[in-house]
Amino acid sequence: MPGQCVIGLQWGDEAKGKLVDLLTEGKDLVVRYAGGANAGHTVVIGDDVYKLHHIPSGIINDGVQNLITPGVVINPPTILEEIKQLADKGIDVSTRMKLSQRAHVVMPWHVLEDKMWNRLVSGEDNIGTTLRGIGPCYADKVGRSFAIRLGDMIQDDFPDRVRRIVAVKKQVLSSVAGDDMELDAEAIIKEYAGYAKQLASMVTDTNRILLDAVDQNKSILFEGAQGSLLDIDHGTFPFVTSSNSSGVGISTGSGVPGNWMDQILGVCKTYATRVGGGPFPTEQDNDKGQHIRDMGNEYGTTTGRPRRCGWFDAVAVRYTARLGGVTSIALTMLDVLSELSEIEVCVAYDLDGQRIDYFPAHVNDLRRLTPIYETVPGWQTDVTGARSLDDLPVAAVNYIRHLEKLIGRRIEYVSVGPDRAQTIHIKESVKLDEYLQTRAV
Ligand code: GDP
Ligand code: IMO
Ligand code: MG
């Protein structure tokens, strides 16, 4: 069962794009199954930097088929712009990618609604979305009557459908937001008919492609978007995205049976970040957080917003690794901590005077708790050139082993820089405890 998945175990931006690109070699298909243009995945190969929002990170490898499946919400002008940018770099996306007829379309009113809802909720309650229309599009998907799927855009009744929806959306938007949010049905019909034409050769039934691939035992790589703590059902609700971005969403979003996935790689940073609002128990809104932001260049790939930074939260990552059925871990950004003499790791929480070792479900509990930290020595050595465990200082390997024990899953990859090449693969046969004995002086 060669179904391999890459999922984020924190609040997104864990470097999933890097890992997907790395693991694409030898795969038949790479699949984006959730989220939309709220994602920003970066792939760095030498001097070439690719920032992908919609298109799977497998696109750079020739000979691999990339799919966007029903669980994704697609913004046509955004994806067309991305296709153009890749064409400028010599990548012909149209021959390497197919889009599901079943995927829902982010329409102009969704973006307006996202802005409107965001404006109406202030302070601590503000989710701080990416304003890409993601929540409203998924809301219409679940509500059904006002939804548009990619396959609808080439149907004869598309213009009438748009007219009917726009009539209702205009009422809602103007009553709540005033008249700065105008929608012109005829202009939208014309514009989107043009997009449909440009995308037509790529739109198909990806369920058939994938189920045939499963029957033929082809190897498939699933690319998660966002992070598990942003999962609509299992994350820090309501400060989440609108899809199942944890491991539980792979099957619903792609249409491939869950029992077909055999390797689930959970990606997490050696610290923690979050963009937008919501609880973040280990946040360091201070010099330490700023140091991490500076060293890790922690600014959003999609919105450019500074990411909130803090210490590694082992309680949270243990939770999401278990939730996602994670079989091994990719630990990224080891290099970012290189200048620190001491590193804190959250190993439990204090909630109302009681020590707990689980991740609370309610946002108010998450806001109230105090992290309990362990202090681990830093290594204060540049690790960006390391390509094997032998190249790392012992203190860095100790830190990796420490996190491995706390998460309860094997660490298989360690990333020491953005480039594809800046990666250490730890073979299954290597046990870190035994390895460290060989390094003892
Ligand atoms: P994704 O959304 O999970 O794919 O992650 P993003 O691309 O949004 O953010 C990760 C950022 O970190 C990107 O700018 C990557 O190029 C960069 N990156 C990836 N791995 C490493 C690493 O090990 N060290 C450093 N310093 N940067 C990395
Ligand atoms: P990748 O795939 C980090 C966050 C937003 C906001 C919340 C809801 O690059 O890891 P939305 O626009 O989805 O309704 O916003 O989710 N968010 C992300 N944060 N990385 C992402 O994607 C994110 N996608 C959404 O900042 O807090
Ligand atoms: Mg990102």
Side-chain angles (χ1 to χ4, degrees), residues 3-6 20 31 33 220-224 250 254 256 260-261:
Q4 189 176 21
C5 318
V6 172
V20 168
V31 178
Y33 59 86
I220 310 174
L221 179 62
F222 296 86
E223 174 174 4
I250 304 166
S254 67
V256 173
W260 200 76
M261 321 291 166

Side-chain angles (χ1 to χ4, degrees), residues 243-289:
S243 61
N244 283 119
S245 53
S246 72
V248 304
I250 304 166
S251 183
T252 50
S254 67
V256 173
N259 66 358
W260 200 76
M261 321 291 166
D262 66 345
Q263 283 179 55
I264 302 184
L265 183 69
V267 190
C268 54
K269 305 185 191 201
T270 50
Y271 48 92
T273 62
R274 153 157 231 175
V275 206
F280 181 2
T282 61
E283 180 169 17
Q284 297 298 303
D285 190 11
N286 53 33
D287 287 356
K288 289 173 190 155

Side-chain angles (χ1 to χ4, degrees), residues 11-14 16 38-41 114 127-132 134-135 224-227 230 239-242 274-277 301-302 305:
W11 283 286
D13 305 325
E14 298 91 345
K16 298 174 292 292
N38 49 350
H41 296 182
D114 205 357
I127 298 173
T129 76
T130 58
L131 302 177
R132 296 296 186 272
I134 304 297
Q226 287 78 54
L230 290 171
F239 300 96
V240 291
T241 190
S242 302
R274 153 157 231 175
V275 206
T301 308
T302 299
R305 289 178 288 179

